[in-house]
Amino acid sequence: MMELLAPAGGMEQLRHALHYGADAVYLGGSRFGLRERADNFPGVELASAISLAHEHGKKAYVTTNALIHQHDLMDFRAYCEDLEAMGADAAIVSDPSAIGALRKHAPHVAIHISTQASIVNAYTARLYHDLGASRVVLARELTLEEIAAIRANTPADLEIEVFVHGAMCIAYSGRCLISNYLVGRDANRGHCTQPCRWKWSLQEETRPGEYFPIEEDGKRSFVMSSADLNMLEHLDELQAAGVDSIKIEGRVKGAYYVATVTNAYRRVLDGESPDRWKDELHAVSHRPYHTGFYYGTPAQSYDGKEYFQTCDFVGTVIESTPIGDETYRTAFVLRNRLFKDDELEVLSPTRGILRIHAHDLTDEDGLPCRTATHNARRYEITSEFQLSPLDIIRKRRGDPDVQAGRSAHPAG
């Protein structure tokens, strides 16, 4: 079975990734990663995160895929020694200098070649294998047929990893210079401002200050903004192509996103029908879905609204205690406003989707209330199910426009 690799931008996301069935997580320290906007794990926190993954019998891969400039070399060598001491299972790299540093200063840390290296053929994959890599993360611009050809022409002990879900980049495998050019923030060193998501207009050189809209749907344009990747319904085809690990994008995403998406892919990998779980991927905020380059050219996200979402994250369960026959007092940390007697859903990694009501709502002082409004505080409700810590509580949205967006770009 393919490995399910989930993002962990911070400790909350890490806990939820493990709770909802990830086989491995990828996470970053305070330096040398490409997601500076994520919480990340500085210093001893990275060691704690790796240890937590190991306690759950899972692996932890550390992102070190930024380009390493001359003045970074000494610090990177020291960082490699830290990864060795922490027991990191692998380092994800794109700069060839990182391979030599890891082999010398972290001999027990496996080397995974990042998608930033833009590997699109078997010769390049074998070259990295000869240099010491145990895994290559292939470029996101490959088709299934090309992936199968690479698998057929590479050593059996070289693992192949691909992205299956999340944001795509207008640049080749994320190697973009637009952010650096416009605002001086280098995407290849973790500081991308995502100008591809901005709204763009056209100006003719002899008419300064006169802007012409670039319209794709009569309203606005996102000419550089790709649709989101979604391969939930095609995991068997990825397996047949020889993929060893499937990766969910999202180290700047929150715990709700990580939990929901990881759970859906875990269920399908374990043999459940994708038809049963595909609507789950609309419960989180996303651009229109597409299958990326796997079957041809990806679509742009030009449909009316750029983002869609069918559910709101209400909170995370802390504990659930029996108080009577099939009645439980459930405490949770609030993330979005909740009203007494609201109809809710609980996403459980072991029991699926449960429906409950917010009966007997009380605040952190145990006082009855009609509305829960203070984020990050403890509230309690009475439920007919005993829930588990880290289970997700959510509420369905009623906006018909949001519901209509679910089929904007069906996967496949």
Side-chain angles (χ1 to χ4, degrees):
M1 183 183 295
M2 293 182 293
E3 173 190 78
L4 178 57
L5 178 55
M11 187 59 77
E12 184 183 20
Q13 295 94 318
L14 171 61
R15 294 184 188 280
H16 281 83
L18 298 173
H19 184 60
Y20 282 89
D23 296 310
V25 293
Y26 64 103
L27 64 169
S30 57
R31 298 190 64 189
F32 304 114
L34 288 181
R35 291 294 182 269
E36 291 295 321
R37 291 187 295 115
D39 292 337
N40 293 315
F41 297 88
V44 295
E45 292 182 21
L46 182 59
S48 297
I50 293 170
S51 294
L52 180 62
H54 291 169
E55 288 170 12
H56 285 77
K58 313 298 184 181
K59 293 182 178 180
Y61 308 144
V62 180
T63 56
T64 55
N65 53 345
L67 295 179
I68 301 170
H69 287 230
Q70 184 66 31
H71 62 268
D72 295 323
L73 289 173
M74 291 298 294
D75 285 346
F76 185 76
R77 292 165 188 158
Y79 192 61
C80 291
E81 294 174 352
D82 290 340
L83 295 182
E84 174 81 3
M86 293 175 188
D89 294 286
I92 305 170
V93 306
S94 63
D95 193 318
S97 69
I99 299 174
L102 284 162
R103 292 184 66 177
K104 181 176 181 180
H105 300 283
H108 297 98
V109 177
I111 298 170
H112 294 179
I113 306 301
S114 170
T115 190
Q116 299 291 124
S118 300
I119 298 173
V120 295
N121 61 67
Y123 184 91
T124 304
R126 291 197 303 269
L127 175 64
Y128 280 115
H129 179 261
D130 291 343
L131 290 174
S134 62
R135 177 181 296 190
V136 289
V137 188
L138 297 181
R140 283 176 273 194
E141 294 75 22
L142 294 176
T143 65
L144 273 171
E145 184 178 358
E146 289 175 304
I147 293 169
I150 292 172
R151 174 72 287 170
N153 291 281
T154 50
D157 64 339
L158 178 63
E159 297 175 342
I160 289 178
E161 178 185 309
V162 299
F163 280 90
V164 292
H165 197 91
M168 297 283 281
C169 183
I170 193 66
Y172 213 94
S173 293
R175 298 168 71 174
C176 182
L177 294 174
I178 301 175
S179 177
N180 203 357
Y181 176 76
L182 291 177
V183 296
R185 297 186 62 181
D186 190 348
N188 297 296
R189 289 173 66 81
H191 300 285
C192 185
T193 56
Q194 294 191 311
C196 57
R197 311 294 186 219
W198 300 350
K199 182 178 178 181
W200 292 88
S201 297
L202 176 68
Q203 178 181 285
E204 199 273 324
E205 64 178 349
T206 65
R207 305 180 191 184
E210 185 176 344
Y211 299 99
F212 301 90
I214 309 171
E215 296 180 351
E216 294 173 294
D217 65 348
K219 299 177 183 178
R220 52 184 167 175
S221 170
F222 296 92
V223 293
M224 293 189 290
S225 182
S226 301
D228 279 1
L229 180 63
N230 176 355
M231 285 290 286
L232 184 72
E233 298 177 70
H234 305 279
L235 300 189
D236 287 345
E237 294 158 74
L238 289 166
Q239 180 91 56
V243 170
D244 296 291
S245 178
I246 57 173
K247 187 174 195 172
I248 298 167
E249 183 275 338
R251 278 203 298 126
V252 296
K253 301 286 191 179
Y256 173 60
Y257 176 94
V258 173
T260 303
V261 177
T262 301
N263 179 73
Y265 278 87
R266 177 77 274 157
R267 296 281 183 160
V268 177
L269 276 175
D270 288 347
E272 297 187 39
S273 170
D275 289 339
R276 180 179 178 185
W277 291 100
K278 62 183 180 181
D279 281 352
E280 268 296 288
L281 299 178
H282 297 297
V284 297
S285 178
H286 65 92
R287 288 181 291 276
Y289 283 135
H290 197 262
T291 50
F293 286 89
Y294 286 110
Y295 303 97
T297 305
Q300 298 289 95
S301 59
Y302 47 75
D303 289 52
K305 292 185 177 181
E306 193 190 2
Y307 287 89
F308 305 108
Q309 184 172 354
T310 59
C311 294
D312 286 318
F313 181 23
V314 170
T316 301
V317 173
I318 303 172
E319 59 184 353
S320 191
T321 307
I323 58 173
D325 292 338
E326 297 184 356
T327 306
Y328 304 88
R329 196 67 183 154
T330 296
F332 61 95
V333 176
L334 186 73
R335 297 300 296 267
N336 277 295
R337 186 173 60 176
L338 168 68
F339 296 96
K340 181 179 179 293
D341 295 326
D342 269 351
E343 185 174 334
L344 305 172
E345 291 180 352
V346 176
L347 184 63
S348 164
T350 56
R351 303 168 69 184
I353 301 171
L354 307 172
R355 286 173 173 79
I356 64 173
H357 290 81
H359 295 317
D360 303 322
L361 180 64
T362 58
D363 62 19
E364 61 183 340
D365 297 318
L367 300 175
C369 58
R370 295 195 60 82
T371 308
T373 58
H374 298 289
N375 279 356
R377 292 190 184 178
R378 176 187 176 118
Y379 288 85
E380 293 187 7
I381 57 174
T382 298
S383 65
E384 55 270 41
F385 299 102
Q386 185 167 27
L387 307 179
S388 299
L390 296 179
D391 282 357
I392 291 290
I393 301 175
R394 67 190 186 192
K395 186 164 111 175
R396 289 266 160 195
R397 290 184 174 183
D399 182 352
D401 291 333
V402 173
Q403 298 295 330
R406 292 165 61 181
S407 59
H409 272 289

